[in-house]
Amino acid sequence: MFRNVISPRIVKPLSAHTPVRAFSSASVLQRNYKYQHILTETRGNVGLITLNRPKALNALCNDLFTEVNEAMAKYDADANVGAIVLTGSEKAFAAGADIKEMKDNNFVDTYKKDMLGHWAKISDVKKPIIAAVNGYALGGGCELAMSCDIIYAGEKAVFGQPEIKLGIIPGAGGTQRLVKAVGKSKAMEMVLTGSVNLNATEAENLGLVSKVVPADQLVDEAIKTAGKIASMSQGSVQMAKELINKSFEVPLSSGLRFERVLFQSLFGTADQKEGMAAFAEKRKANFTNQ
Ligand SMILES: *[C@@H]1O[C@H](CO)[C@@H](O)[C@H](O)[C@H]1NC(C)=O
Ligand SMILES: *[C@@H]1O[C@H](CO)[C@@H](O)[C@H](O)[C@H]1NC(C)=O
């Protein structure tokens, strides 16, 4: 659940640079909404979320993450959006967690508040999320990118987990998702030294990112892929995402069974009839998400 979606928040005064978004897809969202640390915009059927704390290189403070969760939940609920792109600036996707904000924390408080717990909400988003990573994706930034479904990298992207140098460890998936993406030896090297980073090409070769593009074309390229995904039948897209996500959790036989039943279930949809008719008639399918 995204409990922040409907709870009232204190909204700061608008500045000239802040786009105002009206979310009309659900009645609870019908109001002008202003974020402090992110920008949101819809491009076609794609929701674009841009981390926007330029002075802090998009350091992931608590409020920023709350806003990301809210924006994700809105796009997840918006029938006109089929996929989401998450990006930062050309200099930094996100340079890490906000160290200033956490440096004086003590154990009992972090435990009681379940520090970083709300970072996991992004995993519940049903629509596919593409991370478009330019510049630094370090620490929490690397973990945030890995929480997305697809990563595209700009040529100057840098991925790393430097937490060990601060006397801590990654706390939002860095020890778990990284090993699945790049293998044990490289993950150990990165996490244990804190100073072995991956550039875009290395990240692509290891399978952490699926494509490297020039920095200035990165967001457009991610939106293009997201648009393509959004043009497919949304039921099958979300089932496919759920199944791939599931493959990290369940034994193969359970995953295969779950896959087969969901596959069979799609034969109850109008989009399966349309998709297969269009294939037979050699035309482009026109899906209605039914
Ligand atoms: C992905 O898997 C995690 C862990 O099982 C789960 O919490 C999350 O809800 C799943 N997300 C989707 C979209 O299926
Ligand atoms: C797709 O189907 C919808 C609903 O049946 C229809 O309104 C629309 O015109 C169709 N679009 C195309 C490109 O055929």
Side-chain angles (χ1 to χ4, degrees):
M1 278 299 295
F2 292 82
R3 79 191 131 74
N4 288 319
V5 175
I6 50 171
S7 66
R9 299 182 67 237
I10 294 163
V11 175
K12 290 213 169 169
L14 298 172
S15 84
H17 303 291
T18 312
V20 175
R21 298 270 147 224
F23 291 89
S24 55
S25 58
S27 59
V28 291
L29 307 176
Q30 267 173 5
R31 63 201 154 95
N32 288 340
Y33 204 87
K34 192 237 164 228
Y35 295 111
Q36 201 184 338
H37 302 302
I38 64 173
L39 304 170
T40 61
E41 86 185 77
T42 310
R43 298 230 197 133
N45 293 328
V46 177
L48 173 63
I49 301 173
T50 306
L51 307 180
N52 186 37
R53 280 189 86 197
K55 284 189 195 131
L57 292 176
N58 292 334
L60 302 166
C61 61
N62 200 50
D63 288 349
L64 180 151
F65 225 95
T66 300
E67 290 184 359
V68 168
N69 282 336
E70 289 185 27
M72 290 281 175
K74 284 198 177 76
Y75 284 141
D76 218 17
D78 186 339
N80 296 318
V81 168
I84 300 164
V85 171
L86 176 65
T87 194
S89 67
E90 285 211 7
K91 207 165 176 190
F93 176 72
D98 192 323
I99 306 302
K100 268 192 224 142
E101 187 181 72
M102 61 173 66
K103 71 179 179 30
D104 296 325
N105 286 359
N106 66 49
F107 169 59
V108 175
D109 284 343
T110 58
Y111 180 80
K112 280 195 302 191
K113 284 188 287 192
D114 193 22
M115 181 184 177
L116 304 190
H118 67 149
W119 287 31
K121 284 183 182 174
I122 196 170
S123 304
D124 293 331
V125 175
K126 293 170 84 78
K127 292 175 185 170
I129 307 169
I130 302 180
V133 176
N134 265 322
Y136 299 113
L138 298 176
C142 187
E143 291 171 307
L144 175 57
M146 290 191 295
S147 300
C148 300
D149 301 306
I150 296 172
I151 306 179
Y152 280 5
E155 281 164 340
K156 297 230 169 78
V158 179
F159 298 86
Q161 299 288 165
E163 290 88 342
I164 204 90
K165 294 199 279 192
L166 302 177
I168 56 166
I169 58 172
T175 66
Q176 303 298 301
R177 292 197 176 96
L178 188 62
V179 69
K180 298 200 165 87
V182 305
K184 176 180 158 183
S185 182
K186 185 57 83 181
M188 284 281 189
E189 200 183 15
M190 291 172 71
V191 171
L192 299 181
T193 70
S195 42
V196 173
N197 294 335
L198 301 177
N199 65 31
T201 313
E202 290 166 332
E204 185 186 29
N205 291 341
L206 288 163
L208 178 64
V209 317
S210 53
K211 191 187 266 188
V212 179
V213 273
D216 58 345
Q217 293 163 32
L218 177 69
V219 173
D220 286 344
E221 195 66 24
I223 286 173
K224 209 166 108 192
T225 300
K228 186 165 210 166
I229 293 169
S231 76
M232 304 299 164
S233 175
Q234 290 311 298
S236 49
V237 164
Q238 290 178 27
M239 282 183 194
K241 168 172 170 166
E242 185 178 359
L243 282 160
I244 294 174
N245 185 39
K246 203 55 125 188
S247 75
F248 289 98
E249 304 282 339
V250 302
L252 180 62
S253 56
S254 307
L256 289 171
R257 179 70 193 137
F258 188 30
E259 177 190 67
R260 196 156 64 241
V261 172
L262 288 186
F263 168 81
Q264 291 158 354
S265 77
L266 287 169
F267 286 81
T269 65
D271 280 349
Q272 172 270 325
K273 300 286 175 289
E274 164 61 12
M276 292 195 176
F279 178 79
E281 293 159 19
K282 297 187 167 46
R283 60 173 174 84
K284 196 170 181 287
N286 176 14
F287 294 121
T288 53
N289 299 324
Q290 298 296 312

